[in-house]
Amino acid sequence: MEISQLGEFGLIDRLTKDLPTVNSSTIRSVGDDCAVLRNHDTDILVTTDLLLEGVHFDLTYVPLKHLGYKSAVVNFSDVYAMNGTPRQITVSLGISSRFTVEHIEELYSGIRLACNIYGVDLVGGDTTSSRQGLVISITCIGEAEASKVVTRSGARDTDLICVSGDLGAAYMGLQLLEREKIASAGQKDFRPDFGGKEYIVERQLKPEARKDIVAQLAKDGIVPTAMMDISDGLSSDLLHIAHDSNVGCRVYEDRIPIDYQTAVMAEELGMNVIMAALNGGEDYELLFTVPLHCHEKVKDMPGVKVIGHITKPELGCALVTPDGAEIPLRAQGWNPLAATSASDKG
Amino acid sequence: MEISQLGEFGLIDRLTKDLPTVNSSTIRSVGDDCAVLRNHDTDILVTTDLLLEGVHFDLTYVPLKHLGYKSAVVNFSDVYAMNGTPRQITVSLGISSRFTVEHIEELYSGIRLACNIYGVDLVGGDTTSSRQGLVISITCIGEAEASKVVTRSGARDTDLICVSGDLGAAYMGLQLLEREKIASAGQKDFRPDFGGKEYIVERQLKPEARKDIVAQLAKDGIVPTAMMDISDGLSSDLLHIAHDSNVGCRVYEDRIPIDYQTAVMAEELGMNVIMAALNGGEDYELLFTVPLHCHEKVKDMPGVKVIGHITKPELGCALVTPDGAEIPLRAQGWNPLAATSASDKG
């Protein structure tokens, strides 16, 4: 059977079904942003990402320092998405012969910068040659109070659905970078035109993990009922929460936060900006649900927007348009097992 | 600067020098078999390995199930080498389009078998497409009593140097597999000839981690002063212990344990079997040092052999031949950053 028939999640389900665990420290296994290992009253969170040149990144327009930074930050984001704090990472690199020591130092400078900013220790890894291209595998270990870990499965009917920041910007940044790459083909001294679009380019090349939102929630005494980071796209990720929590949801189109530059870029390219926000992915914003009684607290929280609410499962998951029509949410985010280049995304 | 000028350890040294750590849980960072993270009186051990098709394995003669088994076991071995117990692994795969679902299930069946045998839980990972070949990145998390963790840096003058099992077999198994691959080229229905050499083929394709030795040491109340697993070759790995412990050593050629099949294969190929044992690597045996007063206990321990002793640093590291000559030990083990195929090994 072709792997593309199953897709990433189908394949993982098939490979990991009936996977027994035997260690008492294994609290939560495959299927969330992180695995959860218990040690006394502290939970150890573990997450890992594999990034391959030509699939996940294109060095034509991604500077190595940015790539290092982003590779680390996307792992931190998974730990924050469990309401934890990232503490350590390991970095494994496969390096083909076209890379020099200086190239790898550049990549590492980005990883180290991310570690410095987020207070994470780089504690190990593996370094080897690669026959083709750059391979980056990062594992992040985090900590959380056992009682405060937030999974994808706790959303309940009437809970509010919240997102941090704005959506679709990283995806539109990717479209812009791809357009400039095509425009530059064969031209010497080509200067890409990012004027007025710096924000969406930055969102693609140098995303941040929402440590600030996790801190704000803690400060306000809010433990979300479910949370994850938006890496595959709002639709796909919200469907994960709905599935794992056995609930439905309604998301209001006019509540979805979209930056001005994202909208302008979509307009320029003749794309539907709502589709970009729903399915673009790589936002690394936090998507979380809170009980209805937290409404007063979250509605004024800086950088957080209430975009909808959880329903009973039989109502399914839908986007509500401004005229009240309901469109079923579909997982149209990135399928990493169908992708053959970063530009296939979406 | 070309990366091959520095080699793996040179590159890692350069990338990780002056790497500050900020989290109190980070006890030991880059530079041993595992990183060590402390949580109350338990140490969390973390190790990771990146395996790339065409560099670390050749699917012409490595069955996918064996590959899965070995990929997991080599990580368990790193945890045992710190005197710990492996508890969880994450498995990330990059899969090119020539692999089917059944292929990946085969690979996973080997990983699951290893997990079952060693009592380890598979708790997560990442699965994505790859443009060329198979990419396997495994991270293993283990546990150890904080007071019982054994690093590479504790060897002291007069300590005894011990190894488990026998050395060079995996390397000679690789040579045999490579020979049969060449012999089979272009031939249909070729049957490789492994008669009488099953042990060395098994050592290459399906190595085991020495859980039994760690258990035996614990049972006898011995905490080694230094320990690591032999992955790069006895010479290279012993030099790591000597360097990190700031000591010298003497290893006696006629004490190095070599299996009969290893010797026969070396003879057949006109190779020096001692060189294979010193530099072959992939043995995944334990190399450890114990105080001299443990001599009575280790000399009769099944599967363990005393091969030499630690000296003052100024005496350097040398192999002592049967006629008493001293040959300086050199790290001639595998350089993964110079390798372009598995057959380059050694």
Side-chain angles (χ1 to χ4, degrees):
Chain A
M1 188 194 298
E2 296 287 322
I3 289 171
S4 54
Q5 284 177 253
L6 287 178
E8 182 188 13
F9 301 119
L11 179 64
I12 291 172
D13 282 351
R14 185 150 167 164
L15 293 173
T16 58
K17 91 178 159 211
D18 309 323
L19 205 62
T21 61
V22 297
N23 290 294
S24 59
S25 58
T26 306
I27 301 298
R28 183 167 281 265
S29 177
V30 178
D32 217 306
D33 294 294
C34 297
V36 182
L37 323 176
R38 185 147 305 166
N39 194 290
H40 304 272
D41 51 354
T42 306
D43 277 1
I44 310 285
L45 307 171
V46 182
T47 181
T48 189
D49 261 306
L50 177 62
L51 302 173
L52 305 177
E53 186 177 355
V55 178
H56 300 92
F57 55 88
D58 183 338
L59 292 175
T60 320
Y61 53 72
V62 179
L64 282 162
K65 185 171 179 178
H66 285 73
L67 178 61
Y69 190 88
K70 180 172 175 175
S71 304
V73 163
V74 300
N75 279 283
F76 304 162
S77 180
D78 278 321
V79 175
Y80 290 120
M82 304 287 287
N83 208 25
T85 304
R87 295 290 188 201
Q88 289 93 9
I89 57 169
T90 62
V91 177
S92 291
L93 299 178
I95 307 166
S96 73
S97 58
R98 75 174 207 275
F99 294 94
T100 63
V101 171
E102 290 75 15
H103 285 134
I104 304 306
E105 286 183 322
E106 193 66 17
L107 178 76
Y108 245 74
S109 72
I111 296 170
R112 290 170 80 144
L113 179 62
C115 285
N116 284 342
I117 290 176
Y118 288 89
V120 172
D121 295 329
L122 200 170
V123 297
D126 192 14
T127 307
T128 187
S129 65
S130 151
R131 289 193 136 186
Q132 186 171 314
L134 184 61
V135 175
I136 306 173
S137 177
I138 293 189
T139 298
C140 183
I141 292 128
E143 275 179 0
E145 265 183 74
S147 59
K148 301 267 174 78
V149 166
V150 179
T151 68
R152 300 175 179 181
S153 57
R156 295 293 170 258
D157 186 21
T158 76
D159 279 0
L160 299 171
I161 302 169
C162 308
V163 291
S164 64
D166 58 78
L167 303 180
Y171 180 69
M172 293 318 303
L174 179 63
Q175 300 307 311
L176 174 60
L177 288 162
E178 286 284 331
R179 183 182 78 177
E180 296 300 301
K181 178 189 170 186
I182 292 164
S184 77
Q187 290 188 50
K188 231 182 121 185
D189 302 327
F190 177 85
R191 301 288 301 174
D193 178 16
F194 296 146
K197 305 207 170 62
E198 294 80 3
Y199 176 70
I200 60 172
V201 171
E202 175 117 350
R203 290 279 287 177
Q204 170 58 226
L205 294 181
K206 193 168 172 286
E208 300 292 349
R210 299 310 303 259
K211 179 182 187 172
D212 56 336
I213 300 292
V214 170
Q216 185 65 50
L217 288 168
K219 198 175 154 220
D220 291 353
I222 300 175
V223 179
T225 49
M227 183 155 62
M228 62 187 294
D229 69 334
I230 302 181
S231 51
D232 293 336
L234 175 63
S235 285
S236 171
D237 293 331
L238 191 50
L239 286 169
H240 278 300
I241 287 181
H243 176 270
D244 293 2
S245 301
N246 189 30
V247 293
C249 68
R250 290 294 175 275
V251 169
Y252 296 88
E253 184 185 316
D254 53 11
R255 301 286 306 162
I256 296 174
I258 292 168
D259 185 78
Y260 175 74
Q261 288 188 14
T262 307
V264 169
M265 191 71 227
E267 177 75 25
E268 243 181 86
L269 296 176
M271 298 175 77
N272 182 328
V273 70
I274 293 294
M275 295 311 286
L278 285 175
N279 303 318
E282 291 202 279
D283 298 305
Y284 301 107
E285 294 295 345
L286 291 173
L287 169 65
F288 58 95
T289 55
V290 296
L292 196 50
H293 66 74
C294 295
H295 184 255
E296 286 307 301
K297 279 182 179 167
V298 290
K299 89 176 170 43
D300 297 322
M301 197 179 280
V304 169
K305 201 149 172 200
V306 179
I307 60 167
H309 56 81
I310 296 295
T311 66
K312 293 192 175 13
E314 52 271 26
L315 294 178
C317 295
L319 178 76
V320 182
T321 64
D323 58 8
E326 296 200 342
I327 303 168
L329 285 181
R330 296 245 173 93
Q332 293 174 323
W334 193 35
N335 180 349
L337 287 170
T340 56
S341 85
S343 61
D344 279 345
K345 201 163 172 312
Chain B
M1 189 194 296
E2 296 289 321
I3 289 170
S4 54
Q5 282 177 255
L6 287 177
E8 182 188 11
F9 302 117
L11 179 64
I12 292 172
D13 282 350
R14 185 149 166 165
L15 294 173
T16 59
K17 90 177 161 215
D18 309 324
L19 204 62
T21 62
V22 296
N23 289 295
S24 58
S25 58
T26 306
I27 301 298
R28 183 168 282 265
S29 177
V30 179
D32 217 305
D33 293 294
C34 296
V36 182
L37 323 177
R38 184 146 305 167
N39 193 291
H40 303 272
D41 51 353
T42 305
D43 277 1
I44 311 284
L45 307 170
V46 181
T47 180
T48 189
D49 260 308
L50 177 63
L51 302 173
L52 304 178
E53 185 177 355
V55 178
H56 300 94
F57 56 89
D58 184 337
L59 293 175
T60 320
Y61 54 73
V62 178
L64 282 162
K65 186 171 178 177
H66 285 73
L67 178 61
Y69 190 88
K70 180 170 175 176
S71 304
V73 164
V74 300
N75 279 283
F76 304 162
S77 181
D78 277 321
V79 174
Y80 291 120
M82 303 287 288
N83 207 26
T85 303
R87 296 290 187 201
Q88 289 93 9
I89 55 167
T90 61
V91 177
S92 291
L93 299 178
I95 307 166
S96 72
S97 56
R98 75 176 208 273
F99 294 93
T100 64
V101 171
E102 290 74 16
H103 284 134
I104 304 305
E105 285 184 322
E106 193 65 20
L107 179 75
Y108 245 73
S109 72
I111 296 172
R112 289 170 79 142
L113 179 63
C115 285
N116 284 341
I117 290 177
Y118 288 88
V120 173
D121 296 329
L122 200 172
V123 296
D126 192 14
T127 307
T128 189
S129 65
S130 150
R131 290 193 134 185
Q132 185 170 315
L134 184 62
V135 175
I136 306 172
S137 177
I138 293 188
T139 299
C140 183
I141 293 128
E143 275 179 1
E145 264 183 75
S147 60
K148 300 267 174 76
V149 166
V150 179
T151 67
R152 301 176 177 180
S153 58
R156 296 291 170 261
D157 186 22
T158 77
D159 279 358
L160 298 171
I161 301 169
C162 307
V163 291
S164 64
D166 58 78
L167 303 181
Y171 180 70
M172 293 318 302
L174 179 64
Q175 301 306 311
L176 174 59
L177 287 163
E178 287 282 333
R179 185 183 77 177
E180 295 301 300
K181 178 189 171 184
I182 291 163
S184 75
Q187 289 189 52
K188 232 183 119 184
D189 302 326
F190 178 85
R191 301 288 302 174
D193 178 16
F194 297 147
K197 305 204 170 68
E198 294 80 3
Y199 176 70
I200 60 172
V201 171
E202 175 118 349
R203 291 278 288 176
Q204 170 57 225
L205 294 181
K206 193 169 172 285
E208 300 292 348
R210 297 311 301 260
K211 179 182 187 171
D212 56 335
I213 299 293
V214 171
Q216 187 63 52
L217 288 168
K219 197 175 155 218
D220 291 354
I222 299 174
V223 178
T225 48
M227 182 155 63
M228 62 189 293
D229 69 334
I230 302 180
S231 52
D232 293 335
L234 175 63
S235 286
S236 170
D237 292 330
L238 191 50
L239 286 169
H240 277 300
I241 288 181
H243 175 269
D244 293 1
S245 302
N246 190 29
V247 293
C249 67
R250 289 295 175 275
V251 169
Y252 296 88
E253 183 183 317
D254 53 12
R255 301 285 306 162
I256 294 174
I258 292 169
D259 185 78
Y260 174 75
Q261 288 188 14
T262 307
V264 169
M265 191 72 228
E267 178 74 24
E268 243 182 85
L269 296 175
M271 297 174 77
N272 182 329
V273 71
I274 293 294
M275 293 312 283
L278 286 176
N279 302 318
E282 291 201 282
D283 297 305
Y284 302 106
E285 296 295 346
L286 290 173
L287 169 66
F288 57 95
T289 55
V290 296
L292 196 50
H293 65 75
C294 295
H295 185 256
E296 285 308 301
K297 281 182 178 167
V298 291
K299 89 176 169 44
D300 298 322
M301 197 178 281
V304 169
K305 201 148 174 200
V306 178
I307 61 168
H309 57 81
I310 297 294
T311 66
K312 293 191 176 15
E314 52 271 26
L315 293 178
C317 295
L319 178 77
V320 182
T321 65
D323 60 6
E326 297 200 341
I327 304 169
L329 285 181
R330 296 243 174 93
Q332 291 173 326
W334 193 34
N335 179 350
L337 287 171
T340 56
S341 87
S343 60
D344 278 345
K345 201 161 174 313

